[in-house]
């Protein structure tokens, strides 16, 4: 049987997805692109999934597009890269950002090209101290995709975004954390356990509120304070009617840990 390019396990409400083409640094071929997109679409429909962890097998997280599938020496007309972006990368980024559940990324090694920007599309990014982020695109004559030109200036400011995108130099995990590009860098040996512990904590939390937090923070990138205040009012109204809010307040008053059902 062919090796699975994406491994999926469900544990205590956490769907763990492992990009599994380690000999190609988990770069995306069509099979992996399809599998990753399907996994996030399935996660949206499955109430048993209350958080997702995305990581890579082997020494890398993901080296972006599989360049072996783009060899110009094979002849023929140039590929339509816009088609791949439209068919795979953009839907994947939209599926991760649009998932009403927290997505934790455990960057276990180098994250390059689309791999780096898919990591940044996740909600909470942990990286092994030895991991590096590489906006490799310009090195092969391309432009950052998968949301990179949107994320980088917002997270880092224009100066750092442009330098990373034009120079394609690796950014180490500690610096990425110090610059606010990711949540934190952790010891290599602790990465997977920390990511799972964090995701399990989120999976036992108020899933509806987490979804609303995502929506509010994403909306803030493009709208005025007035519009954002209105959105917060609406989301809070909805949250205030949820069983998880009633449970949270009851647990506070009874001085016990809350038992959130995650119902929305
Ligand atoms: O549809 C479209 O094409 C448009 C969409 C574009 C999205 C993109 O992601 S474009 C950007 C594509 N990615 C890159 O340009 C990154 C290319 N890789 C690298 O620059 C380096 O490999 C890394 C910086 C990621 C890691 O460097 P290093 O020294 O740690 O590892 P390495 O020795 O370069 O790579 C290890 C193996 O993985 C090697 O194979 P080998 O020689 O052991 O058989 C290498 O060829 C392979 N590999 C790494 N990246 C890719 C790859 N194979 C295919 N595609 C890759 N992207």
């Amino acid at each position: 049987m062919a090796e699975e390019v994406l491994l999926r396990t469900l544990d205590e409400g956490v769907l763990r997805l492992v990009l599994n083409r380690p000999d190609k640094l988990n770069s995306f071929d069509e099979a992996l692109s399809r599998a990753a997109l399907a996994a996030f679409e399935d996660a949206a429909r499955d109430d048993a999934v209350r958080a997702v962890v995305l990581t890579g097998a082997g020494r890398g997280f993901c080296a972006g597009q599989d360049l072996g599938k783009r060899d110009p020496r094979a002849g023929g007309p140039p590929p339509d890269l816009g088609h791949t972006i439209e068919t795979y990368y953009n839907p994947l980024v939209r599926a991760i950002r649009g998932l009403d559940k927290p997505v934790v990324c455990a960057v276990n090694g180098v994250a390059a090209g689309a791999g780096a920007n898919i990591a940044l599309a996740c909600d909470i990014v942990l990286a092994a101290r030895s991991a590096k982020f590489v906006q490799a695109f310009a090195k092969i004559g391309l432009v950052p995709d998968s949301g990179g030109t949107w994320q980088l200036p917002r997270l880092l400011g224009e100066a750092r975004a442009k330098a990373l995108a034009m120079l394609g130099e690796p950014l180490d995990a500690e610096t990425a954390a110090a610059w606010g590009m990711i949540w934190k860098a952790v010891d290599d040996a602790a990465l997977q356990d920390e990511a799972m512990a964090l995701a399990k904590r989120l999976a036992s939390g108020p899933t509806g509120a987490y979804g609303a937090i995502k929506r509010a923070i994403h909306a803030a990138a493009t709208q005025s304070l007035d519009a954002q205040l209105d959105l917060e009012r609406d989301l809070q109204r909805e949250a205030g009617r949820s069983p998880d809010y009633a449970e949270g307040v009851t647990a506070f008053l009874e001085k016990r840990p809350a038992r959130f059902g995650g119902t929305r």
Side-chain angles (χ1 to χ4, degrees):
M1 202 177 87
E3 188 70 26
E4 293 283 345
V5 291
L6 183 74
L7 308 178
R8 308 187 196 200
T9 47
L10 184 61
D11 180 16
E12 294 179 38
V14 177
L15 174 66
R16 185 167 182 269
L17 300 175
V18 183
L19 306 173
N20 190 34
R21 301 184 71 226
D23 53 327
K24 303 284 181 198
L25 291 182
N26 304 318
S27 57
F28 282 102
D29 63 357
E30 215 171 302
L32 181 55
S33 298
R34 281 185 203 282
L37 179 57
F40 278 96
E41 288 174 347
D42 291 348
R45 289 187 288 264
D46 188 349
D47 286 341
V49 175
R50 292 178 61 186
V52 179
V53 169
L54 179 64
T55 192
R59 75 170 176 89
F61 170 69
C62 174
Q65 172 64 36
D66 184 338
L67 296 178
K69 310 286 181 200
R70 294 284 180 267
D71 188 348
R73 297 168 301 183
D80 176 2
L81 303 189
H83 175 74
T84 336
I85 303 284
E86 186 64 24
T87 311
Y88 299 118
Y89 292 103
N90 285 356
L92 179 58
V93 169
R94 289 187 175 114
I96 294 171
R97 297 268 300 179
L99 185 67
D100 257 7
K101 304 168 186 183
V103 182
V104 174
C105 190
V107 181
N108 53 299
V110 66
N117 295 332
I118 284 161
L120 299 184
C122 299
D123 301 312
I124 299 182
V125 184
L126 303 180
R129 243 175 267 286
S130 68
K132 293 185 183 350
F133 295 83
V134 193
Q135 294 293 326
F137 304 89
K139 292 207 159 180
I140 55 168
L142 293 183
V143 179
D145 59 29
S146 304
T149 59
W150 190 88
Q151 292 275 17
L152 292 171
R154 281 174 171 77
L155 293 170
L156 305 176
E158 258 191 46
R160 284 171 170 163
K162 284 179 182 162
L164 287 176
M166 289 183 184
L167 302 176
E169 287 179 3
L171 186 70
D172 64 85
E174 299 267 17
T175 308
W179 285 5
M181 195 175 91
I182 64 168
W183 172 233
K184 62 176 172 174
V186 304
D187 289 341
D188 287 26
L191 176 73
Q192 299 299 345
D193 285 351
E194 276 211 36
M196 277 306 284
L198 179 60
K200 283 182 181 177
R201 181 174 137 196
L202 292 164
S204 64
T207 310
Y210 293 148
I213 289 167
K214 276 182 83 160
R215 274 180 273 146
I217 290 178
H218 296 170
T222 54
Q223 66 183 4
S224 66
L225 174 60
D226 265 346
Q228 193 69 15
L229 289 171
D230 287 349
L231 177 64
E232 288 177 359
R233 176 203 58 213
D234 294 344
L235 292 173
Q236 205 70 304
R237 181 171 284 143
E238 198 184 321
R241 292 177 179 140
S242 72
D244 278 345
Y245 171 64
E247 165 60 10
V249 176
T250 306
F252 174 78
L253 296 175
E254 292 177 355
K255 300 188 186 305
R256 61 167 175 81
R259 292 180 293 268
F260 294 114
T263 45
R264 283 166 290 152

